[in-house]
Amino acid sequence: MNFKSLSINKKLLLSFFCLALCSAAGGFISWYLLDSVRQYQATKSNMNQLVTLVQEAQQAEKSFLLYDQIAPSYYETGTSENLISYHKNIVLAQEKLNELQQDKLARQLGLSGQLTLLERELNGYSRHFSDLQAAVSQRGFKDWGLIGEMRSYVHVLLEAVSSEEQVFALSLRRHEKDYLLRKDPKYVDRLNETVDAYKQYLLQASGDHFTEQYQSQAIRGIEAYQHHFARIVAIEEQIGKDQNSGMQHSLTESVAAILPVLAHVDEVINTAVDTIYPQSLLVLILSVIFLLSIGLLLSYLLTKHLGSPIIRLDAIVN
């Protein structure tokens, strides 16, 4: 059985079926292309958000080190706007990274290994910052932490009776401030030398108030002050005097490890997104041309095979 032998009714039904099938195919192709573009765009959007979140977390971290560690409000409350911003952005970045790890397109682009590496580096960055924050809080500032405890001892020493003791106490305070300001080890040596000289003076001093009990109590206060200062120096060395030492260097290294991976993943996704647009447009145009050609062909065949019988019928009637 061929198309010519079919009845007019069946020819019409078959033609309309073919047109409906072509229309459905065209609709499916359009939906598939639009859905692919949407998925690519969603992946790109997630990646852009991840980049922004990491950048904002890094900015909050720098602001914390620059401002909050010398802000009394931080030590009074245990938190700050920069600290809240940092933790919020890190949590959101980890969530966004998890979404990308589950993303079908990211897996298709072969980014699973890079995203796993990025997760490890981001967790390391978060851990280094938490350690640094804990060290900053332990060290303290002014009346808080170890610095606050240390200064309470030197304030007692400044209340000494003799002017010689007050000079020693003031020298200790000056070396302490110089070290905290400049982080130069030479001030540690000077403070320790002053402590030794101060203790030696107390042991050799004479006078009504230089009793054995007074000397012993004063020396204990000096040693307690020196002990706290040594702990502060150790913490300062752990923190680092700049981005090239201590925990600050660990943070810098973490960021240096994160940024290239982040840039690579971002570049791969952006390239894929930039490629899908022209490809989808080309496929859509070719599909439309193909479907139009099919439609025209069906119209021609339908006209050819249905037109002749109708013309003959019209001639018979007339």
Side-chain angles (χ1 to χ4, degrees):
M1 180 180 296
N2 55 39
F3 188 76
K4 292 182 180 181
S5 63
L6 295 176
S7 65
I8 293 177
N9 184 45
K10 289 183 178 179
K11 287 179 180 178
L12 288 171
L13 288 175
L14 182 60
S15 298
F16 283 124
F17 174 77
C18 290
L19 286 173
L21 186 62
C22 290
S23 299
F28 174 78
I29 291 172
S30 298
W31 170 83
Y32 177 79
L33 292 174
L34 290 174
D35 187 64
S36 297
V37 170
R38 182 192 61 78
Q39 290 180 9
Y40 273 62
Q41 191 61 48
T43 302
K44 180 179 180 180
S45 176
N46 283 338
M47 190 63 213
N48 289 341
Q49 290 179 51
L50 176 59
V51 171
T52 300
L53 289 167
V54 171
Q55 289 174 342
E56 290 180 353
Q58 186 184 4
Q59 183 59 48
E61 166 237 313
K62 289 182 177 180
S63 296
F64 172 81
L65 292 175
L66 187 61
Y67 303 113
D68 295 343
Q69 69 169 329
I70 55 173
S73 59
Y74 166 69
Y75 297 96
E76 289 174 351
T77 63
T79 188
S80 69
E81 290 184 5
N82 291 316
L83 198 57
I84 292 172
S85 175
Y86 169 83
H87 287 298
K88 181 187 74 173
N89 286 306
I90 281 295
V91 169
L92 291 176
Q94 290 170 333
E95 291 176 355
K96 195 61 63 177
L97 179 57
N98 185 59
E99 288 182 26
L100 284 169
Q101 288 177 312
Q102 305 302 319
D103 188 273
K104 181 180 178 181
L105 174 61
R107 293 198 298 270
Q108 289 175 348
L109 295 173
L111 294 174
S112 297
Q114 293 292 304
L115 291 173
T116 299
L117 175 61
L118 188 57
E119 179 185 29
R120 183 168 66 247
E121 296 297 344
L122 193 60
N123 289 337
Y125 173 66
S126 177
R127 184 175 62 255
H128 289 317
F129 180 79
S130 295
D131 292 342
L132 188 147
Q133 182 204 343
V136 167
S137 297
Q138 183 182 13
R139 181 202 61 195
F141 178 70
K142 288 189 175 181
D143 298 330
W144 296 273
L146 286 173
I147 289 179
E149 294 176 11
M150 176 184 67
R151 290 183 175 177
S152 67
Y153 287 109
V154 80
H155 287 157
V156 173
L157 297 176
L158 287 169
E159 296 174 356
V161 175
S162 68
S163 58
E164 290 84 359
E165 292 175 88
Q166 291 179 0
V167 169
F168 278 119
L170 289 171
S171 296
L172 291 174
R173 190 70 189 278
R174 185 178 68 254
H175 298 323
E176 165 209 320
K177 287 183 174 181
D178 286 339
Y179 173 77
L180 293 176
L181 181 64
R182 299 177 176 84
K183 307 296 189 295
D184 191 331
K186 71 181 181 181
Y187 296 110
V188 178
D189 296 334
R190 290 179 184 179
L191 185 140
N192 289 330
E193 290 170 0
T194 302
V195 165
D196 293 338
Y198 193 176
K199 290 164 64 176
Q200 189 65 28
Y201 168 79
L202 287 171
L203 292 173
Q204 296 177 352
S206 60
D208 293 338
H209 76 281
F210 284 106
T211 63
E212 184 177 344
Q213 181 180 358
Y214 177 87
Q215 291 173 325
S216 177
Q217 184 176 354
I219 289 174
R220 283 198 303 270
I222 295 169
E223 290 176 343
Y225 172 82
Q226 185 183 31
H227 174 69
H228 277 70
F229 180 77
R231 291 177 63 188
I232 291 169
V233 170
I235 292 174
E236 287 287 1
E237 290 176 350
Q238 290 177 0
I239 293 173
K241 64 179 181 179
D242 52 36
Q243 293 184 344
N244 297 318
S245 59
M247 294 178 177
Q248 293 190 68
H249 181 59
S250 297
L251 274 178
T252 303
E253 286 187 325
S254 292
V255 172
I258 288 172
L259 293 182
V261 181
L262 207 58
H264 173 71
V265 174
D266 189 42
E267 181 182 3
V268 171
I269 291 176
N270 283 331
T271 301
V273 171
D274 292 339
T275 302
I276 191 67
Y277 284 127
Q279 288 181 347
S280 299
L281 182 60
L282 177 62
V283 172
L284 185 59
I285 292 173
L286 292 176
S287 299
V288 170
I289 294 173
F290 174 75
L291 292 174
L292 285 174
S293 301
I294 293 295
L296 291 173
L297 178 61
L298 286 173
S299 298
Y300 169 76
L301 292 174
L302 191 62
T303 302
K304 180 180 178 181
H305 290 285
L306 292 182
S308 297
I310 292 174
I311 294 171
R312 288 196 300 268
L313 180 63
D314 182 67
I316 292 172
V317 172
N318 291 328

